[in-house]
Amino acid sequence: MSLPHAILVALLEKPSSGLELTRRFDRSIGYFWSATHQQIYRELGKLETNGLIRALPAEQPARGQKKSYEVLPAGRAELARWTAASQDPKPHRDALLLRLRAAAVVGTDGLEADLRRHLRLHEQQLAEYEEIEQRDFPPGRDGTEDRLRHLVLRAGIDLETFWTQWLRRALTEFADLPGHGHERT
């Protein structure tokens, strides 16, 4: 996924200013595609220059007033083209997994505590996703948009469930390692 496409999605859902987009990325889209305030503003400029979005006319012209943007037909067409295009899955890269592999040759000092920390963080994220599911997807919300958004949320729930289960397994395995917590020589 690319940031310009994430912005087009967000603007099609609701025309917004750069600041509003940043907040929405922090609250929802950021769960699966993050971006900084500067990245969002830079991409808004490029999208506008390329004729995919436009700034909405201000109700009252004022200096320093935030601009809100909407998607133009060319932007909708680009998003539809991108949505329909085939994409291969990306290889999973995770520093924690690489650190476990490294521990096999240099020792496990400090790693168990970080596994526990990761478990707490994944448990917190899972609880947050489950709370969102309870709040935003009660039984009966089965329109196309709701079902697709719920599917995205379910991906997050399923991934966090995987990570919490895997980390518990890793910690159990870790506890059974001979001499774990000591540098290898």
Side-chain angles (χ1 to χ4, degrees):
M1 178 182 215
S2 68
L3 181 55
H5 294 105
I7 290 172
L8 289 171
V9 169
L11 290 175
L12 279 169
E13 290 175 345
K14 179 183 177 196
S16 304
S17 69
L19 181 58
E20 291 165 336
L21 281 173
T22 299
R23 289 180 181 147
R24 289 173 60 204
F25 267 72
D26 287 344
R27 285 191 322 263
S28 62
I29 294 171
Y31 287 122
F32 56 90
W33 192 262
S34 61
T36 66
H37 185 74
Q38 293 84 4
Q39 289 171 317
I40 290 171
Y41 275 95
R42 191 170 36 248
E43 287 302 327
L44 284 170
K46 290 177 187 176
L47 290 167
E48 188 173 26
T49 298
N50 292 332
L52 302 179
I53 66 171
R54 74 174 178 115
L56 293 169
E59 292 177 15
Q60 298 176 352
R63 186 177 175 165
Q65 182 177 352
K66 61 183 179 181
K67 289 194 262 184
S68 286
Y69 297 89
E70 70 177 353
V71 177
L72 294 170
R76 181 179 282 277
E78 167 53 23
L79 188 59
R81 181 210 59 79
W82 178 80
T83 301
S86 177
Q87 253 185 3
D88 292 336
K90 301 286 184 223
H92 183 75
R93 294 171 40 168
D94 191 294
L96 179 62
L97 298 177
L98 183 58
R99 290 172 55 219
L100 278 171
R101 182 75 182 251
V105 292
V106 298
T108 61
D109 284 350
L111 202 48
E112 184 175 9
D114 205 38
L115 288 170
R116 291 187 189 290
R117 186 179 69 83
H118 276 253
L119 177 58
R120 281 191 308 276
L121 292 170
H122 284 288
E123 287 171 336
Q124 290 169 354
Q125 189 63 66
L126 177 58
E128 188 173 340
Y129 285 162
E130 288 172 337
E131 182 181 309
I132 291 168
E133 183 178 42
Q134 290 290 318
R135 182 190 68 220
D136 294 349
F137 298 100
R141 285 192 69 175
D142 60 355
T144 300
E145 287 181 14
D146 285 328
R147 290 174 68 185
L148 293 175
R149 288 181 182 136
H150 192 196
L151 192 58
V152 172
L153 178 61
R154 283 301 320 171
I157 290 170
D158 292 348
L159 284 169
E160 294 304 328
T161 299
F162 161 78
W163 279 112
T164 57
Q165 291 172 348
W166 182 86
L167 284 159
R168 286 184 189 114
R169 180 181 303 137
L171 285 163
T172 298
E173 186 71 28
F174 219 80
D176 290 340
L177 293 175
H180 90 278
H182 301 290
E183 288 273 341
R184 289 191 175 186
T185 55

